Amino acid sequence: QVQLQESGPGQVKPSQTLSLTCTVSGGSITTNYYYWSWIRQPPGKGLEWMGAIAYSGSAYYSPSLKSRTSISWDTPKNQFTLQLSSVTPEDTAVYYCAREGGSSYYDYWGQGTQVTVSS
């Protein structure tokens, strides 16, 4: 089966850039017609879709985060990356990567990684 694993620092200082990598095994990130998404969950709140990169390499972003979000990939390593700039404590959350199929259905998820924004 497909497995996803998030990696990156667990703490980021305010105003810096959060960078996370999702490593995918068991399937290629270029396989039609999947999207590879970043989703986060702040403490006590629901899931928030941040953006995704498609099998074609096209990236899509939540309007609320578009100005400071970048999603890219490294296909030889079967990885995709999230960069969130100018972070504040409101960006503290568990960050997940997930595979999205049709109808916005997420069939595979990483375990999530806690990111805390603080000084």
Side-chain angles (χ1 to χ4, degrees), residues 86-105:
S86 303
V87 299
T88 74
E90 295 300 310
D91 294 311
T92 294
V94 177
Y95 286 75
Y96 299 92
C97 55
R99 188 175 79 171
E100 181 178 350
S103 302
S104 299
Y105 170 67

Side-chain angles (χ1 to χ4, degrees), residues 42-65:
K45 298 183 179 180
L47 297 168
E48 178 186 21
W49 178 79
M50 301 181 70
I53 188 163
Y55 58 93
S56 63
S58 297
Y60 304 87
Y61 304 102
S62 169
S64 64
L65 297 170

Side-chain angles (χ1 to χ4, degrees), residues 10-24:
Q11 183 171 333
V12 185
K13 296 183 183 299
S15 82
Q16 294 186 337
T17 296
L18 182 163
S19 295
L20 296 173
T21 296
C22 184
T23 300
V24 179

Side-chain angles (χ1 to χ4, degrees), residues 1-53:
Q1 74 170 17
V2 174
Q3 293 182 304
L4 296 85
Q5 177 67 59
E6 304 90 347
S7 61
Q11 183 171 333
V12 185
K13 296 183 183 299
S15 82
Q16 294 186 337
T17 296
L18 182 163
S19 295
L20 296 173
T21 296
C22 184
T23 300
V24 179
S25 61
S28 173
I29 58 176
T30 63
T31 297
N32 296 184
Y33 297 96
Y34 294 106
Y35 290 68
W36 304 90
S37 299
W38 287 100
I39 301 142
R40 69 180 182 179
Q41 186 169 34
K45 298 183 179 180
L47 297 168
E48 178 186 21
W49 178 79
M50 301 181 70
I53 188 163

Side-chain angles (χ1 to χ4, degrees), residues 55-116:
Y55 58 93
S56 63
S58 297
Y60 304 87
Y61 304 102
S62 169
S64 64
L65 297 170
K66 184 176 182 178
S67 65
R68 58 192 186 99
T69 303
S70 179
I71 298 172
S72 58
W73 66 6
D74 185 341
T75 55
K77 294 182 178 180
N78 216 36
Q79 296 176 330
F80 62 104
T81 300
L82 170 71
Q83 293 189 301
L84 182 67
S85 66
S86 303
V87 299
T88 74
E90 295 300 310
D91 294 311
T92 294
V94 177
Y95 286 75
Y96 299 92
C97 55
R99 188 175 79 171
E100 181 178 350
S103 302
S104 299
Y105 170 67
Y106 303 100
D107 55 357
Y108 292 97
W109 294 70
Q111 66 183 23
T113 186
Q114 173 70 45
V115 178
T116 300

